[in-house]
Amino acid sequence: MERAEGGHLASRIDGLVCDLDGVLYVGDTPIQGAAERIARLADDGVRIVYCTNNSKPTVAQYVDKLTAMGLEVDPDDVVTSSVVTGEVLAADGSGRSAVVIGGDGVTEAITAAGIDIVPEPRAEADLVVVGWDLDFTFDKMRRATLAITNHGARLIATNEDAAYPAAEGLWPGTGAIVASIAVASGATAEVMGKPHRPMMDAVARRLEGCERVAVVGDRPDTDLAGGLSRGWTTILVLSGVTKDPSRAEPMPDVVLQSVAEL
Ligand SMILES: [Mg+2]
C-alpha cells in the first residue's frame, strides 16, 4: 500500500473510475479541490467514468450536480446502478413488465429499457426491480412479495449497500429493502451494482481502449472490490465513509486523504 504518491500515479493512468458520494462530495457539500483535480485529469486526456451505486437520482440530475461543480460530463459517462439495471434488462429482453420500488432514477431506466411499469395495486409482473426508496412501506413489500410468489417474478436489485451515510448517521440502504423482500418471498436477488459483474462490465465497456485504469472510492467492499475484480489499481480516499484504512477489506493499492491529492 502506497501513501501520498497520488501525483505519480496520475501520470501512469489513462482511465479512472470515479465514485461520487464521499469522493467528489459528501451529500451536497463538495470536497475541496476534488472536482478541480478530476477536471485537470480529464484535460490531460484521462478518460473519466463516474460510477455510483445510488439508484435514486436520474442521469440528468447527476450531470447537473457535476456540471455545477465545474466538470464537463457526457451523460453516457454517468453509470448509476439504475443505468446498469436498465441496460442489463434491455439486453436480456425476457422481462416485459415490472413492479418497481425506487426513485426517479430507477423508473427512468426501466422505462428507457422498454419495460412496462405495472401500476398499483397490480402485482402481475415478470420482474420486481428494487432501488433506494425513501417511501418504502409494508404495502410495497407485500406487492413485491406477491409478484414473486404468485406470478414468478424475478427479483432484481440495483445494488445491495446495507446503509446510506446520512448527516445524522446511517440510514437503511437499498440492501435493507431488498433483504426484506428476499426474506418474505424466499427469492435471491440478482444484484446489478458494484462490486457485482453487471456494473463492472458496464464501466469496462465505457473504458474500452484504456490500458492503465484506476478506481477511486471511499468504500472498500464496493468500490475497491469491483476494481480489484478487473485488475485495476485501487485507490481508497478517506474523505467519505472510511476513516481507518488499516482495516480496509480488500486492502487498497493507494490511500489518499482525498482525490484532490491524486
Ligand atoms: Mg462513495
Side-chain angles (χ1 to χ4, degrees):
M1 185 163 57
E2 303 177 47
R3 274 175 183 273
E5 295 203 35
H8 180 51
L9 175 68
S11 65
R12 291 181 307 195
I13 60 172
D14 59 1
L16 181 68
V17 184
C18 187
D19 176 44
L20 296 178
D21 210 335
V23 176
L24 294 180
Y25 50 78
V26 174
D28 285 324
T29 309
I31 291 166
Q32 201 178 3
E36 290 84 346
R37 187 66 193 114
I38 295 298
R40 279 263 309 282
L41 290 170
D43 283 346
D44 291 345
V46 177
R47 186 107 169 72
I48 313 284
V49 173
Y50 301 95
C51 178
T52 177
N53 266 359
N54 190 340
S55 64
K56 196 165 170 292
T58 63
V59 170
Q61 286 167 340
Y62 274 121
V63 169
D64 285 350
K65 184 164 185 170
L66 296 172
T67 302
M69 293 172 66
L71 291 161
E72 262 179 55
V73 182
D74 181 332
D76 193 47
D77 292 334
V78 177
V79 183
T80 72
S81 59
S82 287
V83 168
V84 175
T85 301
E87 288 182 2
V88 167
L89 293 176
D92 173 75
S94 64
R96 304 210 162 273
S97 59
V99 165
V100 174
I101 291 168
D104 291 344
V106 186
T107 52
E108 176 185 73
I110 293 304
T111 303
I115 296 166
D116 292 331
I117 297 177
V118 174
E120 290 177 51
R122 285 176 44 208
E124 299 90 350
D126 301 327
L127 307 164
V128 170
V129 180
V130 183
W132 201 38
D133 188 337
L134 295 174
D135 301 311
F136 186 58
T137 58
F138 177 85
D139 210 46
K140 293 185 181 186
M141 200 198 303
R142 176 181 61 79
R143 197 165 153 246
T145 303
L146 289 173
I148 295 165
T149 55
N150 281 357
H151 305 288
R154 281 160 64 198
L155 176 58
I156 310 289
T158 58
N159 62 302
E160 60 179 355
D161 295 50
Y164 173 85
E168 66 175 350
L170 293 181
W171 289 2
T174 306
I177 297 173
V178 173
S180 73
I181 296 166
V183 168
S185 66
T188 301
E190 301 167 47
V191 186
M192 299 291 132
K194 55 190 167 183
H196 295 276
R197 188 164 174 180
M199 184 170 250
M200 303 323 294
D201 283 350
V203 170
R205 264 200 306 279
R206 287 160 169 88
L207 288 171
E208 231 167 52
C210 293
E211 287 170 356
R212 299 175 309 279
V213 175
V215 55
V216 59
D218 64 325
R219 279 185 184 271
D221 59 337
T222 55
D223 302 320
L224 304 187
L228 192 65
S229 72
R230 293 291 155 147
W232 296 335
T233 300
T234 57
I235 306 167
L236 176 67
V237 289
L238 304 181
S239 50
V241 295
T242 302
K243 301 300 177 198
D244 177 6
S246 69
R247 285 187 299 181
E249 182 53 47
M251 287 291 275
D253 296 314
V254 179
V255 179
L256 302 174
Q257 285 303 317
S258 99
V259 79
E261 290 180 357
L262 182 60

